[in-house]
Amino acid sequence: MLPAADITGMVLAGGRGSRMGGVDKGLQAFLGQPLALHALQRLQPQVGMCMLNANRHLEVYQGFHVPVHADVLPDYAGPLAGFLTGLTHCTTPWLLTVPCDSPRFPRDLAARMAATAVREHAQIVLAAGPEAGRDGALQLRPQPVFALLHRSLLPSLQDFVQQGGRKIDAWTAQHAQALCHFDAAGDDVHAFANANTLQELHLLEDSA
């Protein structure tokens, strides 16, 4: 098994929050505290150390008592900018990223992702979790912002973004990767539900 001490966790809270009206999504309340703090507290017991990626209200995020890093790329360049920021500052062999807007991710996320990395000899592990399709039926789909990344991938990601790349799957396809499956039967059906709007956030809170 991969020891938890070899993994740095990072909460991604650096987006524009466009579908929430431009608010800082990580600071919206979920069960009485900011989304990003809720995600951080859920992640901390699973890994060796944690940090947070944010591009606004850095002084507020610094009050969460973990290192806070703004994107190393300008203009809200998306999740890959968060990956790049995390790998740039990561001092452990592995980086595990989680988004701030999916506050119910599994409490054994890191352990299961790490086990998949070892078993599959993968440099990248992405979570695959239940998600409702257009017909409302649950389907197992990749959740690419839940990513376990080996630190050696930093030069590759730097080259990819310098060439204008912004899509996660286009970059991950270049490396040995694997999916870690979280099914609706054995896991929280809302484990990977993300709150893109305030209404979705309230619904997710009501179902908790």
Side-chain angles (χ1 to χ4, degrees):
M1 289 293 294
L2 186 65
D6 284 353
I7 305 172
T8 295
M10 184 172 69
V11 176
L12 301 171
R16 292 182 186 273
S18 300
R19 284 179 281 182
M20 273 194 186
V23 300
D24 193 336
K25 189 183 293 187
L27 297 181
Q28 303 312 298
F30 179 81
L31 299 179
Q33 64 183 15
L35 267 172
L37 180 58
H38 186 91
L40 178 65
Q41 292 176 343
R42 202 171 180 92
L43 184 61
Q44 283 176 316
Q46 304 189 37
V47 297
M49 61 185 71
C50 277
M51 55 185 170
L52 194 143
N53 168 228
N55 291 308
R56 292 179 284 175
H57 306 111
L58 302 187
E59 70 287 351
V60 178
Y61 286 113
Q62 286 164 354
F64 296 174
H65 305 296
V66 296
V68 178
H69 302 291
D71 283 349
V72 295
L73 297 176
D75 302 324
Y76 296 90
L80 274 188
F83 287 9
L84 181 58
T85 301
L87 288 172
T88 298
H89 294 282
C90 184
T91 58
T92 58
W94 294 90
L95 173 74
L96 175 62
T97 65
V98 301
C100 69
D101 61 356
S102 296
R104 292 170 59 173
F105 62 84
R107 296 185 186 276
D108 59 355
L109 177 78
R112 289 166 68 175
M113 298 274 275
T116 300
V118 172
R119 184 176 64 251
E120 303 292 336
H121 304 286
Q123 294 176 290
I124 298 173
V125 178
L126 304 179
E131 184 177 314
R134 292 184 179 180
D135 61 356
L138 290 175
Q139 302 174 0
L140 206 62
R141 296 184 178 177
Q143 310 290 331
V145 287
F146 289 91
L148 181 66
L149 310 169
H150 197 268
R151 189 176 59 181
S152 63
L153 294 166
L154 177 58
S156 165
L157 185 52
Q158 288 173 326
D159 290 343
F160 182 80
V161 299
Q162 285 171 2
Q163 294 168 15
R166 292 295 182 268
K167 293 186 176 181
I168 295 176
D169 57 354
W171 174 64
T172 59
Q174 300 176 8
H175 300 280
Q177 62 175 307
L179 290 177
C180 180
H181 294 93
F182 297 82
D183 63 82
D187 297 294
D188 179 2
V189 69
H190 299 292
F192 296 97
N194 65 309
N196 284 314
T197 67
L198 288 173
Q199 181 182 14
E200 289 175 348
L201 177 57
H202 295 150
L203 289 172
L204 194 58
E205 190 173 36
D206 290 343
S207 67

